[in-house]
Amino acid sequence: MLRRLAHRHRHRHARTVALAVAGLALVLSAGTTGAAAPAARHAGAAPRTVAAPTAPTAPTAPTAVPAAPGSATPLSGYAVQSTAKVADAAETVSSPGYPATGWYPAGPRSTVLAALLAAGVYPDPFHSTQQKLIPAADFTVPWWYRSDFTVAETTARTHLDFSGVVSAADVFVNGRRIATTSTVAGAYTRHEFDITALVRRGTNTVAFRIQPNNPRKHLTMGWLDWLQPPPDENMGIVRDVTVRRAGPVALRDAHVVTALAMPSMASADLTVKARVRNDSDATVTTTLSAAVGATTVAASVTLAPHETRAVVFTPAEHPALRLRSPRVWWPAHMGGQPMYALDLTATVDGTPSDTAHQAFGIRDVRAPLNADGARQYEVNGRPLLLKGGGWSPDEFLRWDPTYVEDRLKYALDLGLNTLRLEGHIEPDEFFDLADRHGILTLPGWECCTKWEGEFNRGGSGERWTAADHSVARASMAAEAARLRHHPSVISFLIGSDAAPNEEIERGYLDALKAADWTAPVIPAAADAASPITGRSGMKMTGPYDWVPPGYWYDKREGGASGFNSETSAGPDIPTLDTLRRMMTPAELETLWKDPAAVQYHRSRSATFDTLELYDSALAARYGAPASLEDYVRKAQLAQYENVRAQFEAYSRNAKDPADPSTGVIYWMFNSGWTSLHWQLVDRYLDQGGAYFGAKKANEPLHVQYGYDDHAVAVVNNRTAPATGLTVRVTLFAPDGTQKYDRTVTGLTVAGGGASSTALTVPESVPGLPTTYLARLLLTDAAGREVSRNVYWLSTEADVLDYERSDWYYTPTTSYADLRGLNSMARTAVAATASTAADASGTSTTTVTLRHPGTVGTPALLTDVHLVGAQGAPVLPVRWTDNQVSLWPGESVTLTATYRTADLRGAAPKLRISGWNTPTAMVPAA
């Protein structure tokens, strides 16, 4: 195992994005982060040719900063320029009135390259290999970030508060350096500086001289083998820089520690904590009042000059902080997501001096190890199977709240409940959205860069210095303080592919304890142990490349047992619409004709840069592709069956008495760019076989087939039990000839992820051809169809060679024969559709699909795409179901929900196609 892990580290993370960090930061535990202006939606679709920008200029308007006590105003943007092009002294550059001629505008959260892309300096890096045209040498020198803000008066105290500097910076205010790179270091560290003495009425200037980055050398973030990393290595400022105003007393670290009474949930104790700081030269008495809903508590505190003191309000001293019948936060599909609010005010002589606000949720999360040593999460006392995906931000860390929420809604649409963030821990608004939608999150440090350099010698990270230990502790303290109040955050993973040594782990745990962290702390995402926390209870056995659907049912390697923190069958070829947006015609020709070709849009890793394993399996199982369209058609079918099998196997085994499955994270949920692998959702939010395979597998009440034992089971993901169910299983030849039919009635399935076997399909069925179809129908007590699931199977099984398993896949020595699907007769599907728009800007298109025949071949995996002008997909869109299979005489009604504005004034149409269904356009207005 150790040799396999080392091999994995050498290949999986051999090439990483370079980011830099140095020194120790002053860490604050609380603060307000303002929302950034949204970037252009789907910014990856930038112009494909190099622009010739006019002379760029700095943002025209400085940020207006009010004097109101407790105000926290994020800088609205920057002017950026390479130090190679700026000859002026730092004191001059950072002084008000500096012209910044020829500088580029940047948003409030922006890497250098994101700003240059927005200015049209470079071509769209998401198309073809155009990212290669961006000269990496431009980003080997520091870059200036410069911003102006105005104040009307200087009586209030002023502080500069920020994190998210990638990787390190010298910081200047009005021509004076207030911090160096030895202090402002690390992407996750938090910094606050008192700049009261430097602030003047009118215009003031903040300037950062940002250092180049290298994640092998510094504690920032890298891209591992996910994509081709950005040439600037994400250098920049990717979180808000905030100007805070207050009176003589400042409030910091405001938060609520919740303790939900278990198992009754009849009450919850709230402990309110904050630090009060006297920033003046005189002794001050302040009154601190804290309000949670209708409950208000207060205390008077006398502070010596420049003294800081912790204030704690406990339920023992303030019984009103013991809530009766609290509103409990639940994950989606298990209950509601109510939130509470804490408001604090510090007053001096009856005048507000500072305020703080914090939203929080009440819930109980535990993650004990089960009898088999696997991590079993429990939320509010209910064990649940974590079903999720690996989250990726935009490659250039551009923050677009609408685009992020669209993806989170997709996760819910797929029946997922969890997203894992390996590094790239998103801004505050991401976790606000996760709280609102009930999506659980697993943030943690990333693999194999400097974060694991001291204890994972198979990675590429360098050994730590004393300064690195300080930055790591400061990073942990800052992230713990930022995330602790989010009920959606159910763990922090302090290691990924390896667990930290005792010194590093102790630093993390001390920081977490000081921040009142209450969620479980996991030592690693891999099967590893740390000296203090112990076993991880997780496994990281892959696979990461193609394996057949039956692989997932074996309780070995990456199969459905325990908690698999990252796993999938690798490539996920997007739809033809997306492929044509991201690749040239010549590249598309190579895509389907040359499996050995290096694919720029797969990975920079030598292990994953071709599609050979995937393409070999596709050709062997479905037949060699005859064209690009045929290749994509077969890919969607293959991805549907494989992703469905992965989630179905883990769901079926969740309640097994021996070695149950407790969690599965699909690697990955999405990609940060235009990709050919590791994605359920592509860059443009289009949906293909992988998407709808996951959606089918994770239905609330679901009937499914076991590739291993031929058993047909019903999985009930609802809370309540289901009774009076009927399961019908029918096997067909590809031409529609029925070969087997059996119905089981009166089935009952408990809730909470329980499953029940309805029947087992015989191993041998007379007259069954090599390739055949299995239709599974589940109806409720009223006779309504609640789940329909269609499989394409073979009497010749895929055969795996587990003895030759590598860290990223298990070889297949012979393949299932599904080539009989190619003989299916072309079968048209009739469709009628209509669309209704509501006042909120949402449209709903309803379509009824009908197989018009009375006998004959079924229509397999019929796909419906909503399109607008020029036939372009309308995205995002959420379907009740899609890629459905219909037998003669059958019909199904589907609905699609989307933003009316995304039609861009066009009348909606439906593009209907399928495995053996000719493409047709149907009006849907």
Side-chain angles (χ1 to χ4, degrees):
M1 176 60 72
L2 291 178
R3 185 173 70 247
R4 286 184 58 196
L5 286 176
H7 178 79
R8 173 177 187 243
H9 297 155
R10 284 197 301 271
H11 289 277
R12 178 189 173 209
H13 304 301
R15 304 180 181 97
T16 56
V17 177
L19 301 170
V21 65
L24 173 64
L26 172 63
V27 176
L28 294 179
S29 303
T32 303
T33 300
R41 292 193 56 239
H42 302 179
R48 294 182 180 175
T49 57
V50 177
T54 57
T57 59
T60 55
T63 304
V65 175
S71 66
T73 308
L75 299 178
S76 59
Y78 303 91
V80 302
Q81 185 55 278
S82 169
T83 57
K85 297 182 180 180
V86 178
D88 299 310
E91 294 74 14
T92 302
V93 172
S94 60
S95 294
Y98 183 76
T101 303
W103 290 37
Y104 297 95
R109 304 171 186 172
S110 179
T111 65
V112 172
L113 187 48
L116 299 180
L117 290 171
V121 176
Y122 302 120
D124 173 16
F126 286 177
H127 180 72
S128 184
T129 60
Q130 290 181 160
Q131 186 164 270
K132 292 181 178 181
L133 301 177
I134 302 174
D138 289 355
F139 312 107
T140 58
V141 299
W143 277 67
W144 278 111
Y145 274 61
R146 188 183 184 284
S147 186
D148 290 336
F149 69 91
T150 60
V151 298
E153 55 80 28
T154 59
T155 56
R157 300 202 68 83
T158 306
H159 291 83
L160 197 65
D161 183 356
F162 59 90
S163 65
V165 173
V166 182
S167 61
D170 297 299
V171 185
F172 300 81
V173 173
N174 290 344
R176 290 276 302 276
R177 185 164 64 178
I178 63 169
T180 67
T181 56
S182 63
T183 299
V184 178
Y188 299 103
T189 52
R190 183 80 177 268
H191 316 269
E192 181 181 35
F193 299 98
D194 189 334
I195 60 173
T196 304
L198 299 177
V199 171
R200 63 188 70 171
R201 287 187 180 89
T203 302
N204 298 267
T205 299
V206 178
F208 293 79
R209 187 164 54 198
I210 308 288
Q211 296 297 309
N213 317 306
N214 189 328
R216 295 181 298 277
K217 298 178 181 294
H218 307 291
L219 294 169
T220 51
M221 58 185 75
W223 284 102
L224 313 178
D225 50 6
W226 303 2
L227 45 70
Q228 300 289 347
D232 74 334
E233 312 276 32
N234 290 135
M235 69 184 300
I237 301 176
V238 297
R239 292 182 182 171
D240 289 336
V241 174
T242 302
V243 181
R244 299 170 68 118
R245 309 297 298 279
V249 172
L251 280 173
R252 297 294 184 265
D253 198 24
H255 63 286
V256 179
V257 182
T258 67
L260 180 63
M262 295 300 298
S264 70
M265 296 187 287
S267 65
D269 284 354
L270 309 182
T271 300
V272 179
K273 294 187 175 184
R275 287 186 293 114
V276 289
R277 186 181 67 210
N278 180 7
D279 286 329
S280 74
D281 296 328
T283 298
V284 172
T285 297
T286 182
T287 299
L288 179 64
S289 63
V292 179
T295 299
T296 301
V297 295
S300 182
V301 182
T302 299
L303 301 168
H306 303 289
E307 179 186 3
T308 299
R309 188 180 302 179
V311 178
V312 181
F313 299 101
T314 68
E317 298 171 335
H318 304 275
L321 292 176
R322 178 164 289 124
L323 301 185
R324 303 299 178 185
S325 301
R327 294 178 288 115
V328 176
W329 187 96
W330 289 93
H333 316 303
M334 295 178 69
Q337 293 77 46
M339 297 290 288
Y340 287 82
L342 167 68
D343 290 287
L344 289 94
T345 302
T347 59
V348 177
D349 297 329
T351 301
S353 179
D354 203 1
T355 62
H357 171 83
Q358 187 68 76
F360 65 96
I362 297 175
R363 55 94 176 100
D364 181 87
V365 175
R366 303 179 191 187
L369 299 180
N370 67 13
D372 299 293
R375 192 70 61 176
Q376 174 65 72
Y377 279 85
E378 301 171 358
V379 178
N380 301 328
R382 293 188 195 171
L384 74 161
L385 173 69
L386 294 196
K387 296 184 292 185
W391 176 268
S392 175
D394 172 74
E395 178 178 0
F396 308 108
L397 305 186
R398 294 170 292 193
W399 175 254
D400 179 347
T402 301
Y403 183 53
V404 169
E405 188 167 20
D406 286 340
R407 285 179 285 166
L408 294 181
K409 289 179 178 178
Y410 268 13
L412 291 178
D413 185 52
L414 292 178
L416 305 182
N417 56 27
T418 305
L419 293 170
R420 180 182 167 214
L421 289 78
E422 181 186 353
H424 299 286
I425 305 175
E426 291 277 39
D428 295 346
E429 295 94 330
F430 175 90
F431 297 98
D432 292 338
L433 289 168
D435 291 342
R436 183 190 312 163
H437 292 294
I439 299 173
L440 304 175
T441 62
L442 297 172
W445 306 129
E446 72 183 16
C447 164
C448 308
T449 56
K450 186 61 174 278
W451 287 102
E452 293 188 349
E454 188 68 10
F455 53 86
N456 177 2
R457 300 314 304 150
S460 62
E462 296 184 359
R463 303 296 289 265
W464 285 21
T465 65
D468 292 321
H469 284 273
S470 297
V471 170
R473 289 192 298 270
S475 299
M476 187 73 265
E479 288 304 283
R482 190 173 72 92
L483 300 177
R484 64 191 166 195
H485 64 280
H486 289 286
S488 60
V489 178
I490 59 167
S491 276
F492 198 95
L493 280 68
I494 56 175
S496 180
D497 287 29
N501 61 30
E502 185 169 3
E503 180 183 7
I504 293 173
E505 183 183 20
R506 174 62 65 193
Y508 288 150
L509 294 178
D510 287 348
L512 286 160
K513 181 179 179 180
D516 292 319
W517 185 266
T518 59
V521 178
I522 310 300
D527 182 7
S530 61
I532 303 170
T533 307
R535 301 300 306 179
S536 70
M538 295 188 173
K539 66 179 183 180
M540 192 185 281
T541 47
Y544 299 92
D545 213 325
W546 192 85
V547 291
Y551 170 95
W552 302 106
Y553 294 83
D554 285 339
K555 291 186 176 182
R556 58 192 298 183
E557 299 295 340
S561 66
F563 195 120
N564 198 335
S565 66
E566 48 181 69
T567 186
S568 75
D572 286 304
I573 305 300
T575 64
L576 196 56
D577 293 295
T578 291
L579 286 171
R580 284 171 171 157
R581 292 180 72 174
M582 62 185 266
M583 301 172 76
T584 65
E587 290 166 342
L588 292 174
E589 191 80 359
T590 300
L591 176 66
W592 73 272
K593 284 185 174 179
D594 188 358
V598 171
Q599 294 292 340
Y600 187 74
H601 286 268
R602 188 163 186 216
S603 175
R604 68 182 314 191
S605 164
T607 304
F608 299 122
D609 60 1
T610 76
L611 291 165
E612 281 190 274
L613 285 174
Y614 177 85
D615 286 354
S616 295
L618 198 68
R621 299 175 90 242
Y622 288 98
S627 64
L628 173 64
E629 290 75 11
D630 187 48
Y631 176 79
V632 174
R633 184 176 69 115
K634 289 172 176 172
Q636 302 314 311
L637 208 66
Q639 287 155 197
Y640 188 107
E641 66 162 339
N642 213 315
V643 173
R644 176 179 58 182
Q646 177 176 334
F647 282 109
E648 285 184 338
Y650 272 85
S651 293
R652 188 197 68 178
N653 291 355
K655 300 295 183 180
D656 281 2
D659 201 11
S661 53
T662 61
V664 58
I665 302 297
Y666 187 89
W667 202 250
M668 297 176 63
F669 171 70
N670 69 297
S671 179
W673 80 326
T674 43
S675 180
L676 295 172
H677 76 160
W678 296 347
Q679 57 186 355
L680 295 175
V681 179
D682 73 32
R683 167 67 192 177
Y684 302 112
L685 305 182
D686 207 352
Q687 303 154 324
Y691 185 97
F692 290 113
K695 182 176 173 68
K696 176 58 62 177
N698 295 319
E699 288 177 321
L701 189 59
H702 177 66
V703 62
Q704 64 183 59
Y705 169 82
Y707 281 80
D708 57 340
D709 58 6
H710 314 295
V712 174
V714 177
V715 177
N716 184 9
N717 292 307
R718 298 170 176 171
T719 302
T723 61
L725 302 176
T726 297
V727 172
R728 181 183 179 188
V729 179
T730 314
L731 306 185
F732 300 88
D735 65 1
T737 305
Q738 182 174 305
K739 299 296 182 179
Y740 172 89
D741 188 49
R742 185 181 171 192
T743 299
V744 175
T745 61
L747 192 67
T748 296
V749 188
S755 63
S756 180
T757 299
L759 62 94
T760 299
V761 177
E763 288 193 18
S764 178
V765 174
L768 199 65
T770 302
T771 303
Y772 62 98
L773 303 174
R775 183 186 64 190
L776 281 56
L777 301 178
L778 176 67
T779 53
D780 63 14
R784 293 183 296 263
E785 184 178 296
V786 292
S787 179
R788 162 184 290 257
N789 207 354
V790 175
Y791 295 79
W792 37 103
L793 302 168
S794 174
T795 57
E796 298 178 7
D798 296 292
V799 179
L800 289 152
D801 185 355
Y802 281 103
E803 298 305 314
R804 293 196 300 124
S805 290
D806 205 337
W807 64 266
Y808 63 99
Y809 86 118
T810 295
T812 303
T813 56
S814 62
Y815 297 96
D817 186 356
L818 301 173
R819 292 173 296 173
L821 297 178
N822 295 310
S823 67
M824 294 180 70
R826 302 285 277 174
T827 302
V829 172
T832 57
S834 62
T835 297
D838 62 27
S840 70
T842 299
S843 284
T844 300
T845 294
T846 302
V847 54
T848 297
L849 303 177
R850 183 173 56 86
H851 191 309
T854 55
V855 294
T857 307
L860 181 63
L861 219 67
T862 301
D863 177 88
V864 185
H865 254 69
L866 182 76
V867 299
Q870 287 78 52
V874 176
L875 301 168
V877 60
R878 291 190 300 281
W879 288 94
T880 52
D881 196 5
N882 208 327
Q883 297 197 346
V884 295
S885 299
L886 297 174
W887 267 252
E890 291 184 331
S891 65
V892 64
T893 298
L894 316 174
T895 62
T897 306
Y898 52 96
R899 285 186 290 265
T900 305
D902 288 339
L903 284 169
R904 293 173 172 80
K909 296 181 180 180
L910 298 175
R911 184 178 67 214
I912 298 172
S913 61
W915 173 256
N916 60 321
T917 299
T919 300
M921 297 292 287
V922 175

